[in-house]
Amino acid sequence: MKEVAHPAGDAARRSRFVPHPLLAAEIGTLLECFRQYGRPDARLRFRLRAAGLLAMCAIRTPLHRLEGRRVRQRVETQSLAAPPVFIIGHWRSGTTYLHRLLSQDPQFGFVTLMQAAFPLDFLTTVGGPLLAALLPPTRLVDATPVTLDSHWEEEMAMACFGTLSFFHAFFFPRHARRTYREAVHFDGVAPARVEAWWRDYRYFLKKVQCAQPGRRMVLKNPANSARVAALRTEFPGAKFIHLHRHPEEVYASTLRLHRAGQDVWALQASDPARLADTVLANQVDLMAACFEQTRGLPEDELIEVRLTDLVANPLETVASIYRQLRLPGFDGAAPRFTAYVEKAGPFPKNPLSLSAEERAAVRQALAPVFARWGYR
């Protein structure tokens, strides 16, 4: 794949000071990750990352447990304000843009980077200024600005609760395919571990609700695209917005995402020759599971949105989302949507291209996706 350099994204990707998501895990969780996915490699940069993680997790574990004792009863008795609105769709499909846009409506709450980065103690932690000082100005793979209040996906938070999180694929790239299948599809995972994951997930969302009382959660997590059936069971009345983008663009951008994530977070060396196959296989699996689990859903529960439509006509597209899903409040929030679109400017895209062989592989593997939405 040929890449055209993106200055802001490349600068952030080259930085060795991007905070590692596992800095907020408990020491026992980190050691369990090592047991599940192998110890860090012997290279100096991997050893230094591992040593930093071990030290920080050991220091922070008592703080996590202190918050747990202080807030657990309050969190467990907290109810969600309403069934969540889930934004689904493959990674790099524009879901963050839609997430930020919808969240301009004051009735909606969302997971912030601060909450996803410190999921075990964000209600009481004083580590915000340190995290803010370490943050790069933009995300790893595009020019989207990053602050502590930025919209984030809860999948990163789940990496600190246990070994079942897609984010572990960035940290332990030798096991990226296995991590994806276990963390996203729960493939071969013992029922007790799956139930523990859902218990932690519900607990985290309740914590976020405590920080944003009365607001209906709008959650953006691509991994949830393969968990729709379970999400409908866990959260009756939930709504789903499936944002989709041309499969070739998604594949190329996701491959870039994995390379960038491994560059700053990996604890093991990866095999570049296997990465492309893993990314494509994951994309096939995610879309197949999403299509299967959303088949036959009522129109007021699911809407499918094309990214090009959202970018070309954001206000009209958002209005259609509100109408179809029967969400109240569009007229009142419309001025906020307009202001955000004007302030955000053009949708940030990295110019990426694929070889003829890569295009052929994507089109063959993802033929059902091309056919479903008429991509050419």
Side-chain angles (χ1 to χ4, degrees):
M1 180 182 69
K2 300 177 181 178
E3 295 191 5
V4 179
H6 189 294
D10 287 348
R13 184 175 61 179
R14 286 194 300 268
S15 172
R16 291 298 186 270
F17 299 100
V18 178
H20 200 291
L22 286 181
L23 286 171
E26 291 199 350
I27 186 67
T29 299
L30 181 63
L31 294 176
E32 180 62 19
C33 287
F34 291 162
R35 191 185 74 81
Q36 289 277 344
Y37 303 123
R39 294 181 179 180
D41 285 352
R43 295 182 189 177
L44 180 61
R45 66 188 179 109
F46 299 135
R47 286 187 171 184
L48 289 176
R49 284 177 188 165
L53 287 174
L54 286 166
M56 187 59 68
C57 291
I59 292 171
R60 290 184 57 81
T61 293
L63 302 178
H64 300 157
R65 297 181 179 179
L66 177 62
E67 174 173 295
R69 287 195 295 269
R70 293 176 62 184
V71 308
R72 180 165 293 276
Q73 183 176 2
R74 170 191 168 196
V75 172
E76 289 183 343
T77 57
Q78 173 71 54
S79 298
L80 297 186
V85 177
F86 292 98
I87 299 174
I88 58 175
H90 198 280
W91 292 269
R92 310 303 300 155
S93 292
T95 52
T96 295
Y97 179 77
L98 178 59
H99 194 204
R100 293 188 174 200
L101 180 56
L102 288 180
S103 298
Q104 302 309 304
D105 187 336
Q107 71 172 303
F108 292 134
F110 55 90
V111 174
T112 67
L113 173 56
M114 179 68 184
Q115 293 162 349
F118 292 139
L120 302 180
D121 63 343
F122 69 79
L123 289 177
T124 59
T125 186
V126 294
L130 176 61
L131 177 61
L134 294 175
L135 286 178
T138 65
R139 297 195 305 179
L140 289 176
V141 290
D142 57 35
T144 302
V146 173
T147 69
L148 291 182
D149 295 326
S150 293
H151 302 60
W152 222 254
E153 60 193 65
E154 64 273 17
E155 193 71 14
M156 188 170 86
M158 298 310 295
C160 293
F161 280 96
T163 57
L164 294 178
S165 170
F166 175 75
F167 267 71
H168 290 305
F170 300 125
F171 317 147
F172 304 97
R174 286 205 304 265
H175 302 275
R177 176 65 176 157
R178 169 193 160 195
T179 299
Y180 167 81
R181 288 298 312 177
E182 291 182 352
V184 178
H185 298 266
F186 302 127
D187 187 22
V189 179
R193 289 182 64 201
V194 176
E195 176 51 37
W197 187 93
W198 282 108
R199 185 168 59 247
D200 291 336
Y201 187 66
R202 291 190 297 266
Y203 183 79
F204 175 70
L205 294 187
K206 287 181 177 183
K207 283 187 72 173
V208 175
Q209 187 75 81
C210 286
Q212 302 177 45
R215 295 188 176 187
R216 185 175 193 174
M217 292 291 108
V218 175
L219 304 170
K220 187 275 297 188
N221 184 359
N224 279 339
S225 304
R227 303 171 183 149
V228 172
L231 289 168
R232 294 182 71 221
T233 299
E234 294 287 337
F235 306 100
K239 308 287 187 177
F240 296 89
I241 307 169
H242 187 173
L243 187 64
H244 58 89
R245 182 183 182 185
H246 196 290
E248 292 176 5
E249 295 179 358
V250 169
Y251 167 77
S253 194
T254 304
L255 190 56
R256 178 186 173 96
L257 169 65
H258 278 261
R259 288 170 175 163
Q262 291 178 11
D263 186 47
V264 297
W265 292 328
L267 299 170
Q268 301 168 342
S270 63
D271 181 356
R274 293 179 56 190
L275 181 58
D277 291 339
T278 295
V279 168
L280 184 55
N282 291 352
Q283 190 173 350
V284 171
D285 288 355
L286 188 82
M287 300 313 297
C290 187
F291 290 169
E292 174 64 27
Q293 295 180 32
T294 57
R295 183 182 296 121
L297 260 61
E299 286 192 354
D300 63 350
E301 288 188 24
L302 169 71
I303 184 171
E304 296 179 342
V305 177
R306 189 182 294 261
L307 176 62
T308 51
D309 293 339
L310 176 65
V311 172
N313 300 292
L315 210 61
E316 294 86 342
T317 303
V318 171
S320 70
I321 291 173
Y322 274 67
R323 283 195 305 270
Q324 183 165 325
L325 299 184
R326 299 181 183 176
L327 297 173
F330 173 79
D331 291 338
R336 295 173 180 264
F337 296 143
T338 300
Y340 175 79
V341 170
E342 293 175 350
K343 181 180 179 180
F347 177 77
K349 291 180 64 177
N350 294 317
L352 297 167
S353 62
L354 299 175
S355 68
E357 293 77 9
E358 288 171 318
R359 288 182 184 277
V362 171
R363 291 178 180 181
Q364 179 178 2
L366 293 165
V369 181
F370 280 87
R372 183 184 183 102
W373 291 309
Y375 286 111
R376 297 181 181 275

